[in-house]
Amino acid sequence: MPPNTTATTGDKPAESGRKKGRKARLIVLVLVLALIGGVAYGGYWSISTVRASFPQTKGSITLDGLSGPVDVKRDGYGIPQIYASSDEDLFMAQGFVQAQDRFYEMDVRRHMTSGRLSEMFGKSQIDNDEFLRTLGWDRIAEQEYAKELSADTKKYLQAYAKGVNAYLRGKDGEDISLEYAALGFTNDYKPAEWTPVDSVSWLKAMAWDLRGNMQDEIDRALLTSRLGPQQIADLYPRYPYDRNKPIVQEGRYDELSETFEQSGSGSSDGSAGSGDTGSSADGSSADGTTGGTGSGSGTGTGSGTSTGTSGSALESQLAGLYDVLDDLPTAVGVNGNGIGSNSWVVGGEHTITGKPLLANDPHLSASLPSVWYQMGLHCRKVSATCRYDVSGYTFAGMPGVVIGHNADIAWGMTNSGVDVTDLYLEKLSGDGYLYDGKVKPFLTREETIKVAGGTAKKIVVRQTEDKMPLLSDRDDELVKVGRKATVDDGAPDRGDGYAVALKWTALEPGNTMDAVFAMNRAADWDDFRKAAEKFDVPSQNLVYADTKNHIGYQLPGKIPTRAKGLDGRVPTLGWESKNKWGGYLDFDQLPYEYDPERGYIVTANQAVVDPEKYPYTLTTDWGYGTRSQRITDLIKQKIKGGGKVSTDDMRQMQTDNTSEIANMLVPTLLKINLDDADVREAQELLQGWNRTQDADSAAAAYFNAVWRNILKLAFGHKLPRELRVEGQCLWVDPVDTTGPVDDKDKVRECGQRDGDQAQPDGGDRWFEVVRNLMEKPDSDWWTTPEAGTRPSAEKDRDALFERAMIDARWELTAKLGKDIDSWSWGRLHRLFLKNQTLGTSGPGFLQYVLNRGPWKLGGGEAAVDATGWNAAGGYDVVWVPSMRMVVNLDNLDKSKWINLTGASGHVFSAHYTDQTDKWAKGELLDWSFKSKAVDDSTVDTLVLKP
């Protein structure tokens, strides 16, 4: 660790922060000139402005409000372990320390969740703010804080806020972080005090990131402009329950009432059930077509609710919605696409230690700093007045630990994918909306958006009686929903048009914050389940292990029941009360497992349950289980014949980069006869390849390029523009064309999505699509149209594969050179870490200073080492294992962990990205927990004094 020039050995009141505004601005100007002149970027800025904001990590600081001294012990990576004698002191210190390292990040997050980014960054963020104000996350958080949370939780939130504000007291922006110094050139923004609601609001942002199938709901509607029901069904195939096992295989449903039969008859509170949706739980109806909107003629097809939307109907409105979602800051994730995670637990009978091992690596979009913050929270003596001894990962801006372990239990999380959002079409009528034949008034509120350097803007937010906000009010395209949509004969007259409203569990007050603290102090399985019962949003797969040699799984969350015939796959007609949600499943109706006979539990976003064994529909859009089954197979291989699993075995499983789609395709690709010697040379890379995607593998580079070109040729050119990558332009038949079209009558359509959001993205849904078509070599999907530079179109699977291999060879020649010996997957598959505000939209020199990378990575899409890339857009990494951990329940001090970046959000801190190199190599750090181990690893100690 570099010398800390701000450390003192005496008392230092928090309110005595330095005033260096004028000097800081001068240093920034010097840096600009230095950069222009080619001087190394750190030479000038790091002297004053940068170090002015570095945290004090040694000596002592006086904080008003503490009841006793608090020790903050940091290891060589700057990871803090906090020791206190009361709960309030513990969480006050947590707030102070997180603010030391990450306040700018915390400030940006609270502005995002409250729809106030324009106050910091000006008019460019007005559209984002309008959308986020419409969702009203901060308002829901205020209601939660006022009415839902326990007295203890409120006390902890207040203590945390007090700690943050103790850090802020007496400081100007440039004393807090370099970014504030940069913002000072464009506005006079000054950070405000932290509030308890600011902490609660961030849970809404994470719930949005993990909201379920909303994107699939949009995409299926968009596909109807060019594809028929069976084609859409091809692209959303059945979940392969026979091949990729669900999470719960031996779960007990004793609590479920015997009156609930497989057909479903309602939930225990008398609300409508969701067991009989008219379609199977895998998302296909009995006749094999998808439910949902009709195509072309406007007649609904399949088992879902029919809006009868034609090609000129809902697609442009939903594309408008997609544009709004896609424009939200990356700090909220990649908006649902590809979001996943791995978490699994192996019981003691199968481990070297004889006690459980638990692994977790959540997959999120890469951000700098990482979304996670590592720390330990320790009561010097656990008692009635100080109840916590916990360590793990949390979010900067939120007290407690989200994922980790205490002295008795460990837990991990993956996204369940449960469907907790529905889009509703609403019939507008004057100032209200139609509902069961009557016009109801909207609930409205006026919001004022303040704009740095500009004029404030007022908007009106409209909601239905069920508190569903009208998302269409925030986008001009969405307003067209009722002007163009065609619907069935039973629909009301179009009139002023239909609006698009959102029903989402997170728009109701809940008590997830209570669950965080309850989980942190849980001592056994019963405590853990009681805590999980409070975990309402987002719905997560929770895995569990304890020091008494038990393992378990619980699905928590508010999970809606829908009326018979509805399954949440497509937008729902909002003008009939029968289409409302009926309520929520009771906690005792949710799946769980405890000490299954097989001795392990794997969750990686696959199906939670087999629909033949569980009477409720949780979603029709599971992940397809590629990662989960690979993890399961690795565990089985290890324990076969009595083998035992070690901590390092768990780490190696986390970094397994085997390509499952390569296992399926390579044997066929090797049989393709190729005339071109250069292409044959590339094909030979696949001969003997072990299908692993190491960063230095030329075979992995070539195969993934072939896979990308197969997807583009077979599917990408057939999708509507709203799903294709921006800038990809094709001459296509006009929408609603039924017969052959002359070339002169074709229209030019260009894709509209960012490269990391477009389709086909190449994930394991596409694995399943291609798997189902492999035995249909003459399927229309394998055909390609003739083009000006390609007079001979591909007519079958092998011809298309041949073309993909040729195209891949010359694509990589252009990108990596003709010499295949110089090729490597890591040269294509790179990770860039970008500061999520000024690092993406600030001046070029500032982006250079704030951002890091690239790193050349192995792994890949739907591999266990899930360094995700979007095949439609390119090979760069778009989401990552945002952290990795392995908890050893036999000896917690032998647990391991790593973060994507580092503890610090300060750009030139030694801990800005000091974990990234090790993370990229698949390495883990030692994770100290007990006091002796923490002391042995401590480098700096700061005492916070009352």
Side-chain angles (χ1 to χ4, degrees), residues 185-446:
F185 287 108
T186 59
N187 62 61
D188 58 356
Y189 173 81
K190 297 186 185 304
E193 286 197 341
W194 193 263
T195 73
V197 172
D198 292 334
S199 295
V200 179
S201 294
W202 184 243
L203 287 174
K204 298 301 178 185
M206 293 309 297
W208 177 259
D209 202 14
L210 305 169
R211 63 193 178 273
N213 78 332
M214 184 172 168
Q215 192 56 62
D216 287 321
E217 189 173 341
I218 293 172
D219 284 358
R220 273 189 290 266
L222 294 173
L223 286 170
T224 61
S225 67
R226 291 217 166 269
L227 303 180
Q230 183 56 54
Q231 291 172 307
I232 297 174
D234 289 345
L235 302 187
Y236 288 87
R238 290 178 54 89
Y239 182 91
Y241 291 97
D242 57 337
R243 187 174 67 254
N244 297 342
K245 300 302 182 184
I247 297 171
V248 177
Q249 302 172 41
E250 306 168 37
R252 304 161 190 164
Y253 306 117
D254 298 339
E255 293 84 359
L256 298 183
S257 169
E258 293 180 1
T259 62
F260 291 93
E261 299 177 350
Q262 183 59 31
S263 61
S265 60
S267 65
S268 59
D269 64 0
S271 57
S274 60
D276 182 5
T277 63
S279 65
S280 65
D282 56 58
S284 61
S285 64
D287 65 0
T289 60
T290 57
T293 58
S295 64
S297 64
T299 58
T301 306
S303 59
T305 299
S306 171
T307 65
T309 310
S310 72
S312 62
L314 195 59
E315 63 269 12
S316 62
Q317 293 75 45
L318 291 177
L321 172 59
Y322 185 91
D323 290 342
V324 175
L325 305 184
D326 185 40
D327 198 39
L328 290 179
T330 307
V332 195
V334 289
N335 302 324
N337 284 345
I339 290 290
S341 300
N342 302 319
S343 190
W344 68 94
V345 59
V346 179
E349 64 183 295
H350 297 310
T351 69
I352 288 175
T353 66
K355 292 288 181 68
L357 295 170
L358 185 151
N360 196 186
D361 55 284
H363 306 156
L364 297 168
S365 58
S367 60
L368 181 59
S370 167
V371 68
W372 298 108
Y373 185 92
Q374 298 155 285
M375 71 187 320
L377 302 171
H378 308 278
C379 290
R380 293 190 178 95
K381 181 179 180 181
V382 176
S383 65
T385 57
C386 198
R387 298 186 288 173
Y388 295 89
D389 188 17
V390 62
S391 183
Y393 297 83
T394 188
F395 304 126
M398 202 182 88
V401 168
V402 176
I403 295 174
H405 70 81
N406 58 30
D408 300 302
I409 75 164
W411 67 96
M413 299 183 190
T414 63
N415 190 19
S416 72
V418 168
D419 187 0
V420 295
T421 60
D422 279 341
L423 295 174
Y424 278 79
L425 301 180
E426 300 293 344
K427 171 63 178 76
L428 302 179
S429 181
D431 293 331
Y433 63 101
L434 194 66
Y435 192 75
D436 282 346
K438 298 180 180 178
V439 176
K440 291 200 168 192
F442 284 109
L443 305 175
T444 62
R445 68 176 187 270
E446 186 176 82

Side-chain angles (χ1 to χ4, degrees), residues 119-138:
E119 294 178 17
M120 295 184 75
F121 305 110
K123 63 182 180 180
S124 66
Q125 298 300 314
I126 290 177
D127 289 345
N128 284 332
D129 283 348
E130 288 185 12
F131 184 77
L132 293 166
R133 293 284 183 98
T134 299
L135 289 177
W137 291 341
D138 59 332

Side-chain angles (χ1 to χ4, degrees), residues 651-887:
R651 180 195 66 79
Q652 290 185 49
M653 292 177 193
Q654 287 180 323
T655 57
D656 180 84
N657 58 30
T658 301
S659 171
E660 292 301 311
I661 189 63
N663 285 335
M664 181 172 66
L665 291 182
V666 165
T668 301
L669 295 176
L670 288 173
K671 295 176 183 177
I672 302 295
N673 291 320
L674 298 166
D675 296 330
D676 190 308
D678 289 321
V679 182
R680 286 200 307 272
E681 182 186 28
Q683 182 187 37
E684 289 170 2
L685 289 171
L686 306 180
Q687 189 74 47
W689 176 43
N690 63 0
R691 324 290 166 74
T692 59
Q693 301 171 95
D694 297 330
D696 61 358
S697 171
Y702 181 60
F703 172 78
N704 282 317
V706 173
W707 171 237
R708 179 175 186 244
N709 279 278
I710 287 173
L711 292 170
K712 181 164 60 175
L713 292 167
F715 309 104
H717 294 170
K718 301 179 179 75
L719 300 180
R721 61 185 176 183
E722 292 86 359
L723 275 70
R724 295 201 312 272
V725 69
E726 186 176 6
Q728 182 191 81
C729 301
L730 303 170
W731 289 95
V732 300
D733 296 344
V735 173
D736 293 336
T737 301
T738 57
V741 175
D742 292 335
D743 286 346
K744 63 182 179 62
D745 294 323
K746 290 181 181 291
V747 296
R748 189 170 187 262
E749 284 189 353
C750 297
Q752 297 179 345
R753 285 197 179 170
D754 286 344
D756 61 356
Q757 301 284 315
Q759 293 292 338
D761 63 21
D764 66 352
R765 174 165 68 88
W766 292 100
F767 291 12
E768 201 65 23
V769 169
V770 171
R771 183 187 299 275
N772 290 343
L773 292 171
M774 286 296 287
E775 302 305 318
K776 302 173 184 177
D778 297 322
S779 168
D780 287 344
W781 287 111
W782 299 125
T783 65
T784 62
E786 294 185 2
T789 59
R790 186 180 299 160
S792 58
E794 285 64 51
K795 301 298 184 183
D796 59 30
R797 183 197 67 193
D798 288 356
L800 185 139
F801 282 10
E802 179 182 359
R803 171 52 57 183
M805 295 175 77
I806 294 169
D807 290 355
R809 177 24 159 152
W810 300 118
E811 179 188 359
L812 294 198
T813 297
K815 292 179 181 296
L816 303 179
K818 187 174 181 180
D819 181 5
I820 65 173
D821 291 336
S822 69
W823 292 0
S824 71
W825 176 224
R827 288 181 62 196
L828 288 173
H829 191 54
R830 300 172 302 167
L831 171 66
F832 293 85
L833 290 176
K834 295 184 178 181
N835 177 287
Q836 289 308 303
T837 55
L838 301 179
T840 58
S841 59
F845 82 89
L846 197 56
Q847 293 188 39
Y848 178 74
V849 168
L850 293 172
N851 298 339
R852 297 291 184 270
W855 282 265
K856 298 175 181 179
L857 298 186
E861 186 64 35
V864 180
D865 186 11
T867 54
W869 56 286
N870 187 301
Y875 302 99
D876 282 344
V877 176
V878 296
W879 60 83
V880 294
S882 55
M883 63 82 160
R884 297 186 184 102
M885 74 175 194
V886 179
V887 182

Side-chain angles (χ1 to χ4, degrees), residues 31-287:
L31 176 69
V32 177
L33 295 174
L35 287 172
I36 293 174
V39 178
Y41 62 80
Y44 287 95
W45 208 335
S46 61
I47 293 174
S48 57
T49 305
V50 173
R51 297 206 175 203
S53 61
F54 280 13
Q56 178 178 336
T57 59
K58 295 180 179 179
S60 63
I61 297 177
T62 299
L63 295 189
D64 290 341
L66 286 176
S67 63
V70 177
D71 295 328
V72 181
K73 302 179 181 183
R74 293 179 184 260
D75 66 11
Y77 288 88
I79 299 170
Q81 305 278 348
I82 300 176
Y83 289 83
S85 298
S86 73
D87 290 339
E88 291 94 324
D89 284 356
L90 190 65
F91 294 117
M92 181 177 176
Q94 184 181 16
F96 181 86
V97 170
Q98 286 193 342
Q100 279 187 306
D101 285 334
R102 300 274 196 97
F103 182 77
Y104 176 76
E105 174 194 5
M106 293 163 58
D107 199 17
V108 171
R109 283 179 175 178
R110 66 166 165 177
H111 279 78
M112 180 177 62
T113 57
S114 59
R116 294 166 45 227
L117 287 167
S118 299
E119 294 178 17
M120 295 184 75
F121 305 110
K123 63 182 180 180
S124 66
Q125 298 300 314
I126 290 177
D127 289 345
N128 284 332
D129 283 348
E130 288 185 12
F131 184 77
L132 293 166
R133 293 284 183 98
T134 299
L135 289 177
W137 291 341
D138 59 332
R139 291 177 173 271
I140 305 300
E142 287 172 358
Q143 295 174 38
E144 288 185 2
Y145 181 76
K147 300 178 180 180
E148 301 293 333
L149 299 181
S150 70
D152 279 347
T153 295
K154 290 182 181 179
K155 182 171 61 177
Y156 302 153
L157 289 165
Q158 291 163 2
Y160 181 90
K162 186 162 53 173
V164 176
N165 293 329
Y167 167 76
L168 294 177
R169 194 168 299 122
K171 289 183 172 66
D172 288 333
E174 55 266 28
D175 297 320
I176 299 172
S177 82
L178 178 150
E179 289 93 334
Y180 288 120
L183 281 178
F185 287 108
T186 59
N187 62 61
D188 58 356
Y189 173 81
K190 297 186 185 304
E193 286 197 341
W194 193 263
T195 73
V197 172
D198 292 334
S199 295
V200 179
S201 294
W202 184 243
L203 287 174
K204 298 301 178 185
M206 293 309 297
W208 177 259
D209 202 14
L210 305 169
R211 63 193 178 273
N213 78 332
M214 184 172 168
Q215 192 56 62
D216 287 321
E217 189 173 341
I218 293 172
D219 284 358
R220 273 189 290 266
L222 294 173
L223 286 170
T224 61
S225 67
R226 291 217 166 269
L227 303 180
Q230 183 56 54
Q231 291 172 307
I232 297 174
D234 289 345
L235 302 187
Y236 288 87
R238 290 178 54 89
Y239 182 91
Y241 291 97
D242 57 337
R243 187 174 67 254
N244 297 342
K245 300 302 182 184
I247 297 171
V248 177
Q249 302 172 41
E250 306 168 37
R252 304 161 190 164
Y253 306 117
D254 298 339
E255 293 84 359
L256 298 183
S257 169
E258 293 180 1
T259 62
F260 291 93
E261 299 177 350
Q262 183 59 31
S263 61
S265 60
S267 65
S268 59
D269 64 0
S271 57
S274 60
D276 182 5
T277 63
S279 65
S280 65
D282 56 58
S284 61
S285 64
D287 65 0

